[in-house]
Amino acid sequence: MKTPDRILGLIGSFLRQALVIGATLLSLFPVYFMIVSAFKTRFEYIEDKWGLPQSLYWANFNTALAGEKFFIRFANSSILTVGSVFVSLIIACLAAYAFARMEFYGKRTLFNIILSLMVVPPVVMIVPLFVAMVRWKLVNTYHGTILIYTGLLLPFSIYLMTNFFRAIPREIIEAARIDGCSSLRVFWNIMMPLSAPAIITLIVVNALWVWNELLIALVFMQKDELKTLMVGIAALRSRNYVDIPATMAGLLIATIPIVIVYLFGQRYFIRGLTGGAVK
Amino acid sequence: MSSSAARRYKLLRLLEPYLFLAPALIVIGLIFAFPIVRLVTLSFQRPFQGQLLFVGLTNYQTIFKDEVFLRAVRNNLTLLISVPIMVFIALILAIFLFDRIRGWQFYRTTLFLPYLLPITVVGLIFSYIFQLSGVLNDFLKVIGLERFILDWLGSTKLALPTLMFVIVWKEVGFGIVLFLARLMSVEEELFDAAKIDGANWWRLQWHITIPQLATTIEFFTIVSIITILSWVFGYVYVMTGGGPGNSTMVTELFIYLSGFRYNQMNIASAVSVILLLVTGIFIFLELRLRERSVTLEEMP
């Protein structure tokens, strides 16, 4: 009597598995394509675009690293990423501490305003920002661009840290206060060490964002020796680059840091990106 | 303790929060508040003999007569079709993964990967896939579907749908992970009880899963709408540059081009104001949603 049900169930689970596998292959294919192409000679690529390379042709990586000022671009992206992630972390944690554990006038309104800035697209600020940055002589400087990125990272960072700080039991703070700790010491010696998981999440998510960002980098780092990796990559296409395998090798090197960070910090990523929306 | 020391202590406690907030407020003021105010004034001005003159609504009148701008708006609206598609795909895949099919954790990892890759890298890879002599067309030739060999990014009809495919490909992973995380936080008993009551798979999804996901679906929908309206610059810039023949022009690219290539900062500002107002509606909706789900719980 149960047999038809079981058969139906089997078909159902087979279909589910097939669909998920299909979706997975589709999301992996471009990555696979990038990796195999990076190891092919140009001739081999034209002959066979999606097959495995006959042998690993490493010369593409030399071409990619030598061309397009690869190392400079890589360094520029790194400087901007490290700088803005670090600065925004400190500023955001200070503000989040105030929001989570202090009483003051206008707290709620201020917090809501900052929340709403989280999704304001940077593109709408870009013209007036550029006009202002020209006047402040901050265009084509690392610190100017770091300032912009810091500002853009702050709303999300403050939001995430505030939520985390709120979850830290008040008793711990009260106890420290009775022992005579100042707010700054409570913040630095108690809140920050207890928040390590949230801080890692924030670093990982923000670093990814800055590393991948294109528009701000395009507008505010225009000088050739200041261009970021993503701007350099975007330029490859418009220059009608013909050496596709070498380009793919370059893309691969630009992607590897992200994939490594992702594989090691997956749970931090997921927690950070779903944080707040899921409860 | 003297009363003046006590008063000083009280004053410090009163000021302290603002000291902690000061750096954040200064940076946010410089990067958000000031530019937004300046944006509005710029949109009412025009350069004339080296000076900016107040011209009222002239810039707005100009853009609403501009064919390219109107095209950009139409394209953004067309791209919104991808929002229900993304919600649907993400929902199906999240539910399947939640059924704990074999290897679901591996699938979650790989399905989320596209969301993390840089748009620039993704855009470039896909432009090699969709080229006239690209991977897709080679593949179609091999399996004998020659009549489907098309110029995916080079024809005015196909470029926008192709672009939409890439956007869905990359953004859908966020939805999957979001839905899955929400489902995993639902109490098991809820599902178990329904199963004991004899609910079949479809009824289980309809009566338990979907209602439990309602807020998350709403959130993902709003975020996706904001993404489509104002975060697709990277895709267009890398894959088509707005072409062929403005067929993939979007509002963001219009702002970038008029502001930085054609030196019409004031036109770009007027467009930015409009974009800000439109996204503002959705930002407001998102804020309401967040407030309902998390912020209220502990706000004193």
Side-chain angles (χ1 to χ4, degrees), chain A residues 54-79:
Chain A
Q54 284 149 10
S55 61
L56 300 181
Y57 183 68
W58 290 95
N60 289 328
F61 290 88
N62 291 336
T63 318
L65 291 174
E68 298 301 327
K69 306 196 171 86
F70 200 93
F71 283 112
I72 301 173
R73 305 267 147 91
F74 204 95
N76 288 338
S77 285
S78 306
I79 292 169

Side-chain angles (χ1 to χ4, degrees), chain A residues 16-17 19-21 23-24 26-31 33-34 45-46 49-50 91 94-95 97-99 101-105 107-108 110-112 114-132 135-136 147-148 150-152 154-155 158-159 163 166-167 170 177 183-184 187 208-209 212 214-215 218-219 222 230 233-234 236-237 241 244 247-248 251 254-255 258-259 262-263 266 269-270 273-279, chain B residues 9 13-14 16-18 20-21 23-25 27-28 30-32 34-36 38-39 42 92-93 96-97 99 101-103 105-121 124-129 131 133-135 138-139 142 153 165 169 174 177-178 181-182 185 201 216 219 226 230-231 233-234 237-240 252 255-256 259-260 265 268-269 272 275-276 279 283 286-287 290-291 293-300:
Chain A
R16 262 180 285 175
Q17 195 88 33
L19 218 111
V20 172
I21 291 175
T24 305
L26 197 63
S27 58
L28 278 182
F29 179 74
V31 180
F33 174 58
M34 168 175 72
Y45 174 82
I46 294 164
K49 289 204 175 72
W50 63 82
I91 297 179
L94 283 170
Y97 181 52
F99 279 123
R101 283 293 172 252
M102 291 176 183
E103 297 312 319
F104 55 92
Y105 176 75
K107 172 169 159 176
R108 193 172 187 131
L110 215 52
F111 190 70
N112 279 341
I114 291 177
L115 265 189
S116 67
L117 295 179
M118 213 152 75
V119 272
V120 169
V123 65
V124 301
M125 276 107 59
I126 205 155
V127 170
L129 258 183
F130 187 76
V131 174
R135 187 169 319 141
W136 302 333
L147 176 70
I148 298 177
T150 301
L152 296 175
L154 275 181
I158 292 174
Y159 170 70
N163 276 346
R166 268 188 203 147
R170 270 174 196 276
R177 278 227 177 269
S183 287
L184 209 59
F187 169 73
L208 177 88
W209 194 82
N212 288 355
L214 177 67
L215 180 64
L218 202 60
V219 173
Q222 297 183 349
M230 292 308 140
I233 288 171
L236 291 180
R237 157 96 177 144
Y241 213 68
I244 293 177
T247 308
M248 290 297 200
L251 296 186
T255 317
I258 299 162
V259 175
Y262 171 53
L263 291 180
Q266 192 186 358
F269 260 115
I270 291 177
L273 290 169
T274 58
V278 178
K279 249 249 159 99
Chain B
Y9 179 72
R13 284 300 293 259
L14 215 63
E16 203 174 36
Y18 299 104
F20 274 78
L21 284 171
L25 294 184
V27 176
I28 286 176
L30 283 178
I31 303 303
F32 285 96
F34 170 73
I36 289 175
R38 188 82 179 90
L39 179 71
L42 275 171
I92 300 256
L93 289 172
F96 285 177
L97 293 183
D99 286 344
I101 61 167
R102 194 172 299 165
Q105 278 163 315
F106 167 77
Y107 295 130
R108 184 183 60 176
T109 306
T110 43
L111 289 171
F112 192 49
L113 185 65
Y115 185 70
L116 302 174
L117 299 176
I119 293 177
T120 333
V121 169
L124 211 59
I125 297 175
F126 270 107
S127 56
Y128 294 135
I129 291 179
Q131 260 177 353
S133 62
V135 181
D138 271 23
F139 179 69
V142 169
L153 284 169
F165 172 85
W169 179 87
F174 180 52
V177 168
L178 207 57
R182 168 70 192 127
S185 72
W201 192 82
T216 316
F219 173 79
I226 297 173
S230 54
W231 295 82
F233 174 81
Y237 183 80
V238 173
M239 293 178 65
T240 61
E252 290 161 87
I255 294 173
Y256 173 77
F260 298 99
M265 295 270 179
S269 298
S272 303
L275 184 59
L276 185 63
T279 45
I283 291 167
E286 202 241 42
L287 190 61
R290 265 186 202 275
E291 252 191 343
S293 62
V294 283
T295 331
L296 279 177
E297 75 193 65
E298 221 207 324
M299 207 64 164

